[in-house]
mmCIF file of all heavy atoms in Angstrom:
data_model
loop_
_atom_site.group_PDB
_atom_site.id
_atom_site.type_symbol
_atom_site.label_atom_id
_atom_site.label_comp_id
_atom_site.label_asym_id
_atom_site.label_seq_id
_atom_site.Cartn_x
_atom_site.Cartn_y
_atom_site.Cartn_z
ATOM 1 N N ARG A 60 -79.374 -92.361 -78.163
ATOM 2 C CA ARG A 60 -80.445 -91.358 -78.231
ATOM 3 C C ARG A 60 -81.374 -91.749 -79.370
ATOM 4 O O ARG A 60 -81.060 -91.478 -80.533
ATOM 5 C CB ARG A 60 -79.881 -89.972 -78.462
ATOM 6 C CG ARG A 60 -79.069 -89.479 -77.301
ATOM 7 C CD ARG A 60 -78.528 -88.102 -77.574
ATOM 8 N NE ARG A 60 -77.654 -87.720 -76.495
ATOM 9 C CZ ARG A 60 -77.863 -86.661 -75.742
ATOM 10 N NH1 ARG A 60 -78.891 -85.895 -75.969
ATOM 11 N NH2 ARG A 60 -77.029 -86.371 -74.777
ATOM 12 N N PRO A 61 -82.507 -92.371 -79.036
ATOM 13 C CA PRO A 61 -83.401 -92.819 -80.113
ATOM 14 C C PRO A 61 -84.105 -91.637 -80.770
ATOM 15 O O PRO A 61 -84.342 -90.600 -80.148
ATOM 16 C CB PRO A 61 -84.399 -93.716 -79.382
ATOM 17 C CG PRO A 61 -84.435 -93.182 -77.999
ATOM 18 C CD PRO A 61 -83.042 -92.682 -77.717
ATOM 19 N N LYS A 62 -84.433 -91.826 -82.031
ATOM 20 C CA LYS A 62 -85.195 -90.810 -82.751
ATOM 21 C C LYS A 62 -86.635 -90.855 -82.264
ATOM 22 O O LYS A 62 -87.124 -91.886 -81.806
ATOM 23 C CB LYS A 62 -85.133 -91.070 -84.246
ATOM 24 C CG LYS A 62 -83.733 -90.910 -84.800
ATOM 25 C CD LYS A 62 -83.694 -91.144 -86.275
ATOM 26 C CE LYS A 62 -82.273 -91.006 -86.785
ATOM 27 N NZ LYS A 62 -82.151 -91.347 -88.180
ATOM 28 N N GLY A 63 -87.312 -89.748 -82.375
ATOM 29 C CA GLY A 63 -88.695 -89.665 -81.897
ATOM 30 C C GLY A 63 -89.650 -90.564 -82.653
ATOM 31 O O GLY A 63 -90.688 -90.954 -82.137
ATOM 32 N N THR A 64 -89.299 -90.930 -83.875
ATOM 33 C CA THR A 64 -90.179 -91.767 -84.687
ATOM 34 C C THR A 64 -89.846 -93.248 -84.581
ATOM 35 O O THR A 64 -90.481 -94.063 -85.241
ATOM 36 C CB THR A 64 -90.088 -91.349 -86.162
ATOM 37 O OG1 THR A 64 -88.727 -91.485 -86.595
ATOM 38 C CG2 THR A 64 -90.545 -89.913 -86.360
ATOM 39 N N ALA A 65 -88.857 -93.599 -83.772
ATOM 40 C CA ALA A 65 -88.410 -94.991 -83.671
ATOM 41 C C ALA A 65 -89.464 -95.839 -82.954
ATOM 42 O O ALA A 65 -90.004 -95.456 -81.925
ATOM 43 C CB ALA A 65 -87.085 -95.076 -82.931
ATOM 44 N N THR A 66 -89.739 -97.013 -83.511
ATOM 45 C CA THR A 66 -90.666 -97.954 -82.881
ATOM 46 C C THR A 66 -89.911 -98.759 -81.829
ATOM 47 O O THR A 66 -88.678 -98.690 -81.737
ATOM 48 C CB THR A 66 -91.261 -98.909 -83.927
ATOM 49 O OG1 THR A 66 -90.203 -99.703 -84.486
ATOM 50 C CG2 THR A 66 -91.963 -98.150 -85.039
ATOM 51 N N LEU A 67 -90.651 -99.542 -81.043
ATOM 52 C CA LEU A 67 -90.009 -100.380 -80.032
ATOM 53 C C LEU A 67 -89.058 -101.378 -80.678
ATOM 54 O O LEU A 67 -87.973 -101.643 -80.157
ATOM 55 C CB LEU A 67 -91.064 -101.117 -79.204
ATOM 56 C CG LEU A 67 -91.794 -100.289 -78.155
ATOM 57 C CD1 LEU A 67 -92.846 -101.139 -77.446
ATOM 58 C CD2 LEU A 67 -90.838 -99.713 -77.136
ATOM 59 N N GLU A 68 -89.457 -101.945 -81.822
ATOM 60 C CA GLU A 68 -88.595 -102.917 -82.495
ATOM 61 C C GLU A 68 -87.289 -102.281 -82.960
ATOM 62 O O GLU A 68 -86.224 -102.882 -82.829
ATOM 63 C CB GLU A 68 -89.330 -103.548 -83.682
ATOM 64 C CG GLU A 68 -90.393 -104.539 -83.293
ATOM 65 C CD GLU A 68 -89.843 -105.685 -82.467
ATOM 66 O OE1 GLU A 68 -88.760 -106.226 -82.803
ATOM 67 O OE2 GLU A 68 -90.481 -106.045 -81.462
ATOM 68 N N GLU A 69 -87.372 -101.081 -83.501
ATOM 69 C CA GLU A 69 -86.157 -100.396 -83.937
ATOM 70 C C GLU A 69 -85.263 -100.063 -82.756
ATOM 71 O O GLU A 69 -84.038 -100.188 -82.847
ATOM 72 C CB GLU A 69 -86.522 -99.115 -84.689
ATOM 73 C CG GLU A 69 -87.182 -99.366 -86.016
ATOM 74 C CD GLU A 69 -87.738 -98.107 -86.649
ATOM 75 O OE1 GLU A 69 -87.901 -97.089 -85.941
ATOM 76 O OE2 GLU A 69 -88.006 -98.149 -87.858
ATOM 77 N N ARG A 70 -85.846 -99.662 -81.647
ATOM 78 C CA ARG A 70 -85.062 -99.358 -80.448
ATOM 79 C C ARG A 70 -84.424 -100.621 -79.880
ATOM 80 O O ARG A 70 -83.276 -100.604 -79.431
ATOM 81 C CB ARG A 70 -85.948 -98.678 -79.412
ATOM 82 C CG ARG A 70 -86.370 -97.281 -79.849
ATOM 83 C CD ARG A 70 -87.394 -96.685 -78.948
ATOM 84 N NE ARG A 70 -86.892 -96.520 -77.585
ATOM 85 C CZ ARG A 70 -87.688 -96.303 -76.543
ATOM 86 N NH1 ARG A 70 -88.990 -96.213 -76.699
ATOM 87 N NH2 ARG A 70 -87.175 -96.168 -75.342
ATOM 88 N N ARG A 71 -85.170 -101.747 -79.879
ATOM 89 C CA ARG A 71 -84.598 -103.020 -79.412
ATOM 90 C C ARG A 71 -83.405 -103.417 -80.276
ATOM 91 O O ARG A 71 -82.388 -103.887 -79.772
ATOM 92 C CB ARG A 71 -85.654 -104.125 -79.472
ATOM 93 C CG ARG A 71 -86.658 -104.078 -78.380
ATOM 94 C CD ARG A 71 -87.600 -105.266 -78.451
ATOM 95 N NE ARG A 71 -88.677 -105.076 -77.521
ATOM 96 C CZ ARG A 71 -89.954 -105.070 -77.840
ATOM 97 N NH1 ARG A 71 -90.330 -105.286 -79.081
ATOM 98 N NH2 ARG A 71 -90.880 -104.880 -76.926
ATOM 99 N N PHE A 72 -83.566 -103.243 -81.596
ATOM 100 C CA PHE A 72 -82.499 -103.593 -82.524
ATOM 101 C C PHE A 72 -81.246 -102.772 -82.234
ATOM 102 O O PHE A 72 -80.134 -103.291 -82.230
ATOM 103 C CB PHE A 72 -82.971 -103.369 -83.963
ATOM 104 C CG PHE A 72 -81.978 -103.781 -84.993
ATOM 105 C CD1 PHE A 72 -81.803 -105.115 -85.316
ATOM 106 C CD2 PHE A 72 -81.198 -102.840 -85.643
ATOM 107 C CE1 PHE A 72 -80.882 -105.503 -86.263
ATOM 108 C CE2 PHE A 72 -80.269 -103.211 -86.584
ATOM 109 C CZ PHE A 72 -80.107 -104.544 -86.894
ATOM 110 N N GLU A 73 -81.426 -101.481 -81.967
ATOM 111 C CA GLU A 73 -80.284 -100.613 -81.681
ATOM 112 C C GLU A 73 -79.590 -101.016 -80.385
ATOM 113 O O GLU A 73 -78.356 -101.024 -80.304
ATOM 114 C CB GLU A 73 -80.765 -99.164 -81.611
ATOM 115 C CG GLU A 73 -79.662 -98.161 -81.689
ATOM 116 C CD GLU A 73 -80.162 -96.749 -81.897
ATOM 117 O OE1 GLU A 73 -81.368 -96.557 -82.116
ATOM 118 O OE2 GLU A 73 -79.332 -95.841 -81.813
ATOM 119 N N VAL A 74 -80.361 -101.382 -79.367
ATOM 120 C CA VAL A 74 -79.775 -101.840 -78.099
ATOM 121 C C VAL A 74 -79.011 -103.142 -78.324
ATOM 122 O O VAL A 74 -77.897 -103.321 -77.820
ATOM 123 C CB VAL A 74 -80.863 -102.008 -77.015
ATOM 124 C CG1 VAL A 74 -80.339 -102.755 -75.806
ATOM 125 C CG2 VAL A 74 -81.398 -100.644 -76.583
ATOM 126 N N LEU A 75 -79.582 -104.068 -79.096
ATOM 127 C CA LEU A 75 -78.894 -105.324 -79.404
ATOM 128 C C LEU A 75 -77.579 -105.073 -80.143
ATOM 129 O O LEU A 75 -76.568 -105.720 -79.856
ATOM 130 C CB LEU A 75 -79.790 -106.231 -80.247
ATOM 131 C CG LEU A 75 -80.700 -107.172 -79.496
ATOM 132 C CD1 LEU A 75 -81.612 -107.923 -80.444
ATOM 133 C CD2 LEU A 75 -79.911 -108.143 -78.650
ATOM 134 N N LEU A 76 -77.607 -104.148 -81.093
ATOM 135 C CA LEU A 76 -76.382 -103.838 -81.823
ATOM 136 C C LEU A 76 -75.292 -103.348 -80.872
ATOM 137 O O LEU A 76 -74.146 -103.784 -80.949
ATOM 138 C CB LEU A 76 -76.647 -102.775 -82.881
ATOM 139 C CG LEU A 76 -77.318 -103.228 -84.158
ATOM 140 C CD1 LEU A 76 -77.562 -102.043 -85.075
ATOM 141 C CD2 LEU A 76 -76.511 -104.274 -84.870
ATOM 142 N N LYS A 77 -75.654 -102.446 -79.971
ATOM 143 C CA LYS A 77 -74.665 -101.896 -79.037
ATOM 144 C C LYS A 77 -74.157 -102.957 -78.065
ATOM 145 O O LYS A 77 -72.978 -102.994 -77.746
ATOM 146 C CB LYS A 77 -75.266 -100.732 -78.247
ATOM 147 C CG LYS A 77 -75.380 -99.469 -79.029
ATOM 148 C CD LYS A 77 -74.039 -98.810 -79.159
ATOM 149 C CE LYS A 77 -74.214 -97.423 -79.722
ATOM 150 N NZ LYS A 77 -72.997 -96.680 -79.758
ATOM 151 N N LEU A 78 -75.064 -103.827 -77.594
ATOM 152 C CA LEU A 78 -74.639 -104.875 -76.663
ATOM 153 C C LEU A 78 -73.719 -105.879 -77.340
ATOM 154 O O LEU A 78 -72.729 -106.326 -76.753
ATOM 155 C CB LEU A 78 -75.853 -105.586 -76.073
ATOM 156 C CG LEU A 78 -76.660 -104.794 -75.052
ATOM 157 C CD1 LEU A 78 -77.912 -105.565 -74.663
ATOM 158 C CD2 LEU A 78 -75.825 -104.500 -73.820
ATOM 159 N N ASN A 79 -74.037 -106.258 -78.563
ATOM 160 C CA ASN A 79 -73.208 -107.224 -79.284
ATOM 161 C C ASN A 79 -71.890 -106.619 -79.742
ATOM 162 O O ASN A 79 -70.924 -107.330 -79.981
ATOM 163 C CB ASN A 79 -73.964 -107.778 -80.489
ATOM 164 C CG ASN A 79 -75.069 -108.712 -80.066
ATOM 165 O OD1 ASN A 79 -75.005 -109.328 -79.007
ATOM 166 N ND2 ASN A 79 -76.092 -108.812 -80.878
ATOM 167 N N GLN A 80 -71.846 -105.315 -79.852
ATOM 168 C CA GLN A 80 -70.653 -104.622 -80.307
ATOM 169 C C GLN A 80 -69.526 -104.699 -79.281
ATOM 170 O O GLN A 80 -68.358 -104.594 -79.619
ATOM 171 C CB GLN A 80 -71.025 -103.167 -80.576
ATOM 172 C CG GLN A 80 -69.953 -102.320 -81.139
ATOM 173 C CD GLN A 80 -70.461 -100.911 -81.359
ATOM 174 O OE1 GLN A 80 -71.622 -100.623 -81.154
ATOM 175 N NE2 GLN A 80 -69.575 -100.036 -81.757
ATOM 176 N N ALA A 81 -69.871 -104.916 -78.033
ATOM 177 C CA ALA A 81 -68.888 -104.873 -76.954
ATOM 178 C C ALA A 81 -68.056 -106.149 -76.842
ATOM 179 O O ALA A 81 -67.226 -106.260 -75.959
ATOM 180 C CB ALA A 81 -69.595 -104.607 -75.629
ATOM 181 N N GLN A 82 -68.250 -107.113 -77.714
ATOM 182 C CA GLN A 82 -67.551 -108.389 -77.603
ATOM 183 C C GLN A 82 -66.286 -108.375 -78.459
ATOM 184 O O GLN A 82 -66.296 -108.750 -79.616
ATOM 185 C CB GLN A 82 -68.476 -109.525 -78.029
ATOM 186 C CG GLN A 82 -69.704 -109.636 -77.168
ATOM 187 C CD GLN A 82 -70.680 -110.656 -77.700
ATOM 188 O OE1 GLN A 82 -70.448 -111.284 -78.708
ATOM 189 N NE2 GLN A 82 -71.787 -110.811 -77.013
ATOM 190 N N LEU A 83 -65.189 -107.954 -77.883
ATOM 191 C CA LEU A 83 -63.913 -107.920 -78.580
ATOM 192 C C LEU A 83 -63.136 -109.191 -78.272
ATOM 193 O O LEU A 83 -63.367 -109.804 -77.245
ATOM 194 C CB LEU A 83 -63.106 -106.705 -78.123
ATOM 195 C CG LEU A 83 -63.640 -105.358 -78.561
ATOM 196 C CD1 LEU A 83 -62.856 -104.249 -77.882
ATOM 197 C CD2 LEU A 83 -63.535 -105.198 -80.047
ATOM 198 N N PRO A 84 -62.193 -109.647 -79.016
ATOM 199 C CA PRO A 84 -61.730 -109.134 -80.297
ATOM 200 C C PRO A 84 -62.639 -109.604 -81.431
ATOM 201 O O PRO A 84 -63.357 -110.592 -81.301
ATOM 202 C CB PRO A 84 -60.344 -109.752 -80.445
ATOM 203 C CG PRO A 84 -60.453 -111.057 -79.736
ATOM 204 C CD PRO A 84 -61.413 -110.804 -78.592
ATOM 205 N N TYR A 85 -62.567 -108.875 -82.535
ATOM 206 C CA TYR A 85 -63.406 -109.213 -83.676
ATOM 207 C C TYR A 85 -62.649 -110.147 -84.608
ATOM 208 O O TYR A 85 -61.579 -109.816 -85.104
ATOM 209 C CB TYR A 85 -63.809 -107.955 -84.437
ATOM 210 C CG TYR A 85 -64.615 -106.995 -83.604
ATOM 211 C CD1 TYR A 85 -64.268 -105.672 -83.509
ATOM 212 C CD2 TYR A 85 -65.733 -107.419 -82.911
ATOM 213 C CE1 TYR A 85 -65.010 -104.785 -82.755
ATOM 214 C CE2 TYR A 85 -66.482 -106.547 -82.146
ATOM 215 C CZ TYR A 85 -66.114 -105.231 -82.074
ATOM 216 O OH TYR A 85 -66.854 -104.369 -81.329
#
Side-chain angles (χ1 to χ4, degrees):
R60 294 180 185 240
K62 294 181 181 174
T64 59
T66 64
L67 284 178
E68 286 302 316
E69 291 171 343
R70 291 171 62 196
R71 284 184 189 123
F72 184 78
E73 195 169 353
V74 168
L75 271 175
L76 282 178
K77 284 284 190 174
L78 287 174
N79 288 334
Q80 184 180 356
Q82 299 173 0
L83 290 172
Y85 299 129

